[in-house]
Amino acid sequence: MISQAKTIEKIILPTPFLVGPVNIYIIKGDLVTLVDTGPNTVEAKEELERSLKSLGYLPSDVDQIILTHHHPDHVGLVESLFPHAKVIGHEKSDKWLRKDPEFISFIEGYFYSFFKEHSVPVELIDKMVKANQYFLSFTGTRGLDEYVKEGDTINGLSGWKVIETPGHAQSHISLYHEEDRILIGGDHIIAHISSNAILEPPYSEEESRPLTLVQYRNALQKCLDLHVDIVYSGHGKPVEDLQGLLQGRFEEQEEKARRLRNMIPEEGITSFELCKQYFPHVYQKEPTLTMSEIIGHLDLLQSRGELATVKKNGFIFYHKI
Ligand SMILES: [Zn+2]
């Protein structure tokens, strides 16, 4: 039997984002499967066409596309380059991909009231909302043809299984080949960047806000419990020492949580005030990423009973316990 590693080809595409180039993968099984597509830019599109050609494919040879998550550097070319391929992903990607107007306006409204309670100034919330709109301009409006969830197998892709890995994005899935001990990890596991557990709203009225960093750590642990020799990531080089990498990540998160807890004064503090103190030079430039870092670690401490919140004059204050 041919090893899966020999049937996976990596394609590197440029993105206009801070993260730099994105990796997408082509897997030759019974069907031709593409994992992610890159952003909807002329440069990425041309590079993808060129790369496919050098591997002996035309875009029309791609039978199906599996999306690791809904972020624009991973999903943008679904519509313009692969109109006939089946698009597969987690259900939570779908409304993002379609840019469902009701969903987008729900998210914007949710974050205005959420961040106001966390004492973020309105100008900065506006900036976050506009940044989200800018990111969405690099995607089309084509939704998913098929939803997959934890443990699912995929037609034409024998030996591979879907693993839900939420945290960086609520829609995030990874693909696992148990026999060959390969994980295609999207942005869940990246060698040179510690993925941000980005704040997202609940997806339905029955859900509460996802504790993204807590989720992210659970999903990292889930991958550690698998037998993985190599992770093919959404950015950068493959990861060969998953255990070592994740050990370091867990330690960094613990250290950050400890530092943050020590910064909380007796009278309590809002998450935004902490964010300003923790990231004095970055919080205005990257409010979504820095607030996600701060609230994620506060959630972690709170979930362990080390912090409590009190609402005062409409603002949420964190107190040490
Ligand atoms: Zn991402």
Side-chain angles (χ1 to χ4, degrees):
M1 193 184 167
I2 316 170
S3 155
Q4 282 297 321
K6 296 202 183 85
T7 69
I8 301 175
E9 300 282 358
K10 174 160 98 172
I11 296 172
I12 305 173
L13 299 176
T15 82
F17 309 121
L18 202 62
V19 70
V22 66
N23 301 329
I24 69 169
Y25 298 92
I26 192 154
I27 311 176
K28 181 84 182 79
D30 299 334
L31 297 175
V32 177
T33 303
L34 195 63
V35 181
D36 291 341
T37 70
N40 189 16
T41 63
V42 174
E43 294 79 10
K45 192 175 175 183
E46 285 176 359
E47 182 57 38
L48 179 50
E49 283 176 311
R50 234 190 333 264
S51 301
L52 286 172
K53 199 173 170 193
S54 73
L55 295 167
Y57 298 105
L58 289 169
S60 56
D61 294 329
V62 173
D63 298 301
Q64 56 187 6
I65 298 168
I66 303 173
L67 300 174
T68 58
H69 62 302
H70 67 266
H71 291 165
D73 46 337
H74 297 262
V75 307
L77 290 169
V78 161
E79 192 169 334
S80 57
L81 211 47
F82 306 99
H84 304 297
K86 187 196 259 187
V87 185
I88 302 166
H90 192 276
E91 184 176 359
K92 286 184 173 167
S93 284
D94 193 49
K95 285 181 181 167
W96 285 107
L97 291 175
R98 288 192 287 107
K99 293 185 202 169
D100 180 295
E102 227 172 280
F103 179 65
I104 303 297
S105 80
F106 162 73
I107 290 172
E108 292 178 355
Y110 179 87
F111 277 130
Y112 270 105
S113 51
F114 175 81
F115 284 123
K116 266 187 213 161
E117 281 189 324
H118 285 264
S119 80
V120 180
V122 153
E123 312 83 70
L124 221 48
I125 309 177
D126 284 339
K127 192 173 173 178
M128 292 193 242
V129 167
K130 289 212 177 78
N132 195 43
Q133 290 166 352
Y134 167 75
F135 288 133
L136 286 174
S137 72
F138 293 94
T139 68
T141 52
R142 187 178 163 202
L144 294 175
D145 298 311
E146 191 179 312
Y147 298 159
V148 284
K149 57 179 186 331
E150 178 76 19
D152 282 355
T153 53
I154 291 162
N155 200 18
L157 205 61
S158 67
W160 291 90
K161 194 165 80 172
V162 173
I163 312 278
E164 290 186 2
T165 45
H168 169 68
Q170 292 306 297
S171 61
H172 205 294
I173 55 168
S174 300
L175 296 173
Y176 178 49
H177 196 288
E178 189 172 7
E179 204 179 308
D180 288 346
R181 301 163 77 110
I182 301 171
L183 188 75
I184 298 186
D187 284 1
H188 181 53
I189 296 165
I190 300 174
H192 65 293
I193 315 167
S194 77
S195 294
N196 190 284
I198 299 172
L199 284 167
E200 284 190 47
Y203 278 62
S204 72
E205 281 176 21
E206 303 87 65
E207 287 177 26
S208 47
R209 177 179 68 81
L211 306 181
T212 53
L213 185 70
V214 175
Q215 264 183 339
Y216 180 61
R217 288 165 57 88
N218 291 339
L220 288 181
Q221 186 58 51
K222 195 198 265 186
C223 294
L224 270 186
D225 295 340
L226 302 171
H227 299 290
V228 175
D229 288 340
I230 190 158
V231 182
Y232 292 114
S233 303
H235 303 275
K237 295 194 172 116
V239 175
E240 291 183 27
D241 176 15
L242 185 62
Q243 185 88 29
L245 180 79
L246 297 194
Q247 204 55 49
R249 292 284 147 79
F250 283 131
E251 280 164 22
E252 283 162 25
Q253 290 159 359
E254 293 294 345
E255 172 58 24
K256 202 175 266 186
R258 250 195 314 274
R259 252 186 82 194
L260 270 176
R261 190 173 183 276
N262 287 338
M263 285 164 70
I264 296 175
E266 203 51 46
E267 65 277 18
I269 189 168
T270 67
S271 63
F272 179 63
E273 288 304 318
L274 266 180
C275 186
K276 279 161 59 178
Q277 289 177 27
Y278 200 96
F279 295 112
H281 307 297
V282 200
Y283 79 93
Q284 276 172 312
K285 201 165 160 259
E286 294 290 348
T288 304
L289 296 182
T290 53
M291 281 302 285
S292 292
E293 277 290 295
I294 297 298
I295 291 181
H297 287 81
L298 293 174
D299 285 344
L300 178 64
L301 289 163
Q302 199 172 2
S303 73
R304 292 171 171 175
E306 295 182 46
L307 289 183
T309 53
V310 175
K311 210 161 171 185
K312 225 170 11 186
N313 305 326
F315 298 120
I316 294 170
F317 283 79
Y318 289 84
H319 291 263
K320 277 191 268 200
I321 296 180

